[in-house]
Amino acid sequence: MTDQEREFARQAAYLANVHLLADRAEDIAGINGASTLLFNAALASLNRMHDIGHAMTIARIWAESLEAQQATREGTH
């Protein structure tokens, strides 16, 4: 197996895990609460791995990215 094939397999497994987590979140919180549950879990995980300042910085970056995406979507409608 080449390095490129190994990387593809790693990314495919990661994506499968992401979809599994999303499906599980829908099972637990329902379709409307899944996003909030996943976002909270991501923040909790960041806080466990890093200090709260780092977790909050990433949360701010995510929020700014979402704002930019929303502005882009609104501009295209």
Side-chain angles (χ1 to χ4, degrees), residues 14-26:
Y14 176 81
L15 186 58
N17 283 333
V18 168
H19 283 280
L20 180 65
L21 287 171
D23 291 342
R24 189 70 182 115
E26 285 182 14

Side-chain angles (χ1 to χ4, degrees), residues 56-72:
M56 291 305 296
T57 297
I58 291 176
R60 283 186 198 96
I61 291 168
W62 288 346
E64 290 168 5
S65 174
L66 290 173
E67 286 176 344
Q69 290 173 35
Q70 180 67 29
T72 299

Side-chain angles (χ1 to χ4, degrees), residues 9-60:
R10 187 188 69 75
Q11 289 181 16
Y14 176 81
L15 186 58
N17 283 333
V18 168
H19 283 280
L20 180 65
L21 287 171
D23 291 342
R24 189 70 182 115
E26 285 182 14
D27 291 343
I28 293 169
I31 192 81
N32 293 325
S35 298
T36 300
L37 178 65
L38 289 169
F39 186 74
N40 288 340
L43 286 178
S45 178
L46 282 171
N47 193 32
R48 288 178 185 177
M49 291 186 299
H50 306 285
D51 62 41
I52 188 64
H54 183 77
M56 291 305 296
T57 297
I58 291 176
R60 283 186 198 96

